Amino acid sequence: MEAGSAIERVQRTYVAAAAVLVVLNVADVVLTRAAIAAGASELNPISRSFIEHGALAYGIKFSVPTLVLLAALRRRTRARIDVIHVAAIWTIVGVYLMVVFVNAVTWAHLR
């Protein structure tokens, strides 16, 4: 196996994780708002602040994972992405997946 192909595979995996993070972030917001509309309350004080402060706060919430994706795309062409970076971002994706799942279950239960 060529070293170049292994590095490219790690980089592609990192970019894929960053893209999944953006999608999960959007799903988190949509499902959180749906669950709140159905009668749930936001327990996370940071997310509650986003909900209370509207568009500006959501702009910030959406910009963070989008910037991570853009940085991943840029870094992919400029430097080697380490396996540790890939493990870290997939861990974050796992946490967001859990949050989205809980939001979906809460929303489904309340509607």
Side-chain angles (χ1 to χ4, degrees):
M1 176 182 292
E2 273 183 36
S5 65
I7 290 169
E8 288 172 10
R9 194 168 43 252
V10 168
Q11 291 172 334
R12 282 192 309 270
T13 302
Y14 185 84
V15 170
V20 169
L21 188 58
V22 170
V23 171
L24 287 173
N25 199 336
V26 172
D28 176 30
V29 168
V30 169
L31 287 168
T32 296
R33 292 193 62 80
I36 288 171
S41 49
E42 178 58 64
L43 300 177
N44 179 339
I46 295 170
S47 293
R48 188 171 42 244
S49 174
F50 286 141
I51 291 165
E52 292 168 358
H53 292 96
L56 176 62
Y58 281 116
I60 293 168
K61 182 170 175 51
F62 287 134
S63 68
V64 171
T66 302
L67 289 172
V68 169
L69 176 58
L70 292 175
L73 291 168
R74 183 169 182 225
R75 185 169 184 173
R76 181 177 174 197
T77 60
R78 292 183 170 254
R80 192 175 133 190
I81 296 173
D82 197 306
V83 173
I84 299 228
H85 294 105
V86 174
I89 198 166
W90 278 109
T91 300
I92 295 166
V93 165
V95 169
Y96 256 95
L97 190 58
M98 240 178 10
V99 167
V100 168
F101 177 76
V102 168
N103 288 344
V105 169
T106 301
W107 173 67
H109 176 73
L110 291 173
R111 64 181 189 121

